[in-house]
Amino acid sequence: MRSDLGVFLKAAVSRPLVIGAFAPTSEPLAAQLVEVVPKRGAPTVLELGPGTGAISELIRSRLPAQARFVAVETDRAMVDHLAETRPWLEVLHMDAADLGSRIGEGEVDAVVSALPWTLIPERAQGRILEAISRVLASGGSFTTIAYLTGTRFGPGRRFRGRLGAAFDEVLTTRTVWRNLPPARTYVCRRPIAATQQRGSRSGSP
């Protein structure tokens, strides 16, 4: 069985535009990222881009026994590694933009993402955020990583603007300097388009 680090490094070298990072997420950043995961009830939690599963382990440690935990991964090698090392994780080998075909509207209580947003084309970013908005419950939260180096330039700023247009509330957490590179997280709540659509349907005669 190959180690998580070995699998990560091989993927980072061979597919840098898919992995989007040159080091695994640090424990302090991962801990900050999973704070939105519910600890009670029977929540459904969705992880986008689980990679080798390091963050998945933290998510699992917070979840109550009745929870459903789903991960979406596009990299075949990562999917195979997760199946071997985290058999308890429900992994979907698919594009995050196609979430609606596998997960129902408003079913997810928390979405945790380590996707490399600044490396994703803007049109694809929009499709993924739209999919997240559809599956997220009205009281749910979406959180994702923002590398400090990326937030200062055009792609990172434009992505932050997209979040502001897609969600009623976007909180920026403290910077984790012990990550490589330093990063923070965005915590997003109340997807605007999905909330409006659900409201219009509920108000229909």
Side-chain angles (χ1 to χ4, degrees), residues 9-109:
L9 292 176
K10 181 178 180 180
V13 170
S14 62
R15 298 178 296 280
L17 295 182
V18 175
I19 304 304
F22 48 83
T25 304
S26 67
E27 290 186 11
L29 181 62
Q32 186 168 284
L33 190 66
V34 305
E35 286 180 357
V36 301
V37 174
K39 293 182 177 181
R40 298 176 179 82
T44 295
V45 175
L46 176 65
E47 183 182 7
L48 305 183
T52 58
I55 296 174
S56 307
E57 293 280 2
L58 279 180
I59 293 174
R60 186 192 187 201
S61 71
R62 291 176 61 93
L63 288 173
Q66 299 80 13
R68 181 190 180 193
F69 183 13
V70 185
V72 172
E73 177 59 61
T74 61
D75 189 271
R76 181 74 255 180
M78 295 295 190
V79 172
D80 293 342
H81 180 72
L82 290 169
E84 182 180 9
T85 61
R86 276 86 178 175
W88 41 264
L89 181 60
E90 181 182 346
V91 184
L92 304 180
H93 183 209
M94 62 183 296
D95 190 319
D98 299 324
L99 283 174
S101 65
R102 302 291 295 273
I103 299 176
E105 182 177 310
E107 288 188 1
V108 179
D109 298 284

Side-chain angles (χ1 to χ4, degrees), residues 135-160:
V135 303
L136 197 62
S138 57
S141 299
F142 161 55
T143 184
T144 191
I145 294 173
Y147 294 108
L148 201 59
T149 51
T151 60
R152 299 176 178 177
F153 301 100
R157 291 182 177 181
R158 286 193 293 274
F159 176 67
R160 175 60 180 80

Side-chain angles (χ1 to χ4, degrees), residues 5 8 10 23 39 50 55 75 85 111 137 139 183-184 200 202:
L5 181 59
F8 175 88
K10 181 178 180 180
K39 293 182 177 181
I55 296 174
D75 189 271
T85 61
V111 178
R184 57 184 58 151
S200 63
S202 64

